[in-house]
Amino acid sequence: MEHSKIKIGIVDDDLLFVQLLKNYIENNGDFQVLLTSTGGYHFLKEQDSASLDILILDLRMTNGDGLEVMAELAKKETETKIIVLSSFYRRSFMGQMLKMGAHAFLPKEIELEELLSVIKTVHHTGHYFSNDQINVMRTQLSNKLPEFHAFSRNELTEREIDVLRLVCEQLSTKEIADSLFISPKTVETHKTNLMIKTGVKNMAGLVIYAVQNKVIDPDEIVLFDK
């Protein structure tokens, strides 16, 4: 039985870049580009017409920048995962990107093959961090950042902490279920409860919460770098 393709949207004001990236992605059988746009405002008008798994989003655009797009999508609580792909990449922006709702933050200089790998990782696990980004996040996790949670670690159940640790290891819902001998539906319930208790909006936020509250050491987080 043929597996379903990962549905992609691309928003970037460089039309040539959009066309080339679309062609490259669609030459891989695992992906389908459903929507392209050369501006954030145009995308926000059109995005309800397509159900996207992944949105590849530029930051600096003349017709509605990436930050505006992320802010609007956060209001709609969409399930679409956002990969910010920008020539304006700075590792020091990593914390801000996560707070805005990005699931991965990448420079445009990334190898195309690696980009496809990151897309699969984000689709499968909900987020992607490189080694360099983990190191930067360690320095950014300070009291200067706003609190992400209303509950302390002690108020999470043992099972919720188990699920949180496995989320940080980038296991899928099914893999977590198999590891803990529970159903995938129960795993999703625990994830929902974790997000409610910690006050975060996505899986990336849960990872930050886990590091901030020493549920997991950053060195234990599984990375997918080549």
Side-chain angles (χ1 to χ4, degrees):
M1 180 175 168
E2 185 180 354
H3 65 281
S4 58
K5 295 184 178 183
I6 299 174
K7 297 181 285 295
I8 308 289
I10 305 172
V11 181
D12 193 297
D13 61 0
D14 185 334
L15 181 58
L16 178 60
F17 174 81
V18 170
Q19 291 174 336
L20 291 174
L21 184 57
K22 178 179 184 292
N23 291 339
Y24 180 82
I25 289 175
E26 288 195 326
N27 281 335
N28 183 297
D30 293 330
F31 307 101
Q32 180 182 11
V33 178
L34 294 185
L35 185 151
T36 63
S37 177
T38 55
Y41 297 143
H42 179 261
F43 167 74
L44 290 172
K45 290 179 182 177
E46 300 293 327
Q47 66 97 16
D48 287 336
S49 66
S51 177
L52 302 175
D53 296 314
I54 301 288
L55 174 64
I56 299 174
L57 178 67
D58 192 12
L59 274 184
R60 284 188 165 181
M61 294 179 287
T62 55
N63 184 24
D65 64 36
L67 295 179
E68 292 176 276
V69 171
M70 285 191 282
E72 287 301 315
L73 293 183
K75 293 177 185 177
K76 298 180 179 181
E77 299 183 346
T78 175
E79 295 297 318
T80 301
K81 296 178 177 64
I82 301 170
I83 296 177
V84 175
L85 181 66
S86 177
S87 56
F88 196 61
Y89 173 85
R90 302 288 187 279
R91 287 180 303 164
S92 58
F93 295 165
M94 189 66 203
Q96 181 66 19
M97 290 297 102
L98 292 176
K99 283 162 58 181
M100 291 295 296
H103 300 81
F105 183 38
L106 307 170
K108 274 191 176 175
E109 294 78 13
I110 190 172
E111 294 288 339
L112 289 171
E113 235 179 84
E114 185 178 356
L115 175 60
L116 296 185
S117 176
V118 171
I119 292 172
K120 290 179 180 179
T121 298
V122 171
H123 180 65
H124 183 64
T125 69
H127 56 267
Y128 169 88
F129 304 122
S130 69
N131 284 298
D132 285 346
Q133 290 170 342
I134 289 292
N135 290 333
V136 169
M137 286 167 61
R138 288 174 184 165
T139 66
Q140 292 180 338
L141 295 177
S142 68
N143 56 14
K144 293 181 181 179
L145 290 177
E147 292 293 326
F148 282 88
H149 58 89
F151 283 68
S152 71
R153 175 184 174 179
N154 293 334
E155 291 172 292
L156 300 179
T157 68
E158 287 188 18
R159 181 59 86 195
E160 286 168 348
I161 291 176
D162 289 339
V163 171
L164 181 55
R165 286 182 176 276
L166 295 177
V167 166
C168 292
E169 292 177 17
Q170 303 204 63
L171 270 65
S172 67
T173 295
K174 184 179 185 306
E175 289 168 337
I176 294 174
D178 291 343
S179 176
L180 298 178
F181 303 103
I182 57 180
S183 71
K185 184 176 180 181
T186 300
V187 173
E188 290 299 332
T189 298
H190 285 311
K191 284 183 179 180
T192 299
N193 289 341
L194 280 166
M195 286 192 284
I196 291 172
K197 286 185 175 184
T198 60
V200 305
K201 296 180 179 179
N202 50 45
M203 293 299 104
L206 282 179
V207 174
I208 292 179
Y209 170 88
V211 175
Q212 280 186 316
N213 289 272
K214 299 180 180 180
V215 176
I216 189 169
D217 188 295
D219 290 329
E220 297 177 23
I221 297 176
V222 178
L223 302 172
F224 285 78
D225 280 351
K226 295 181 179 180

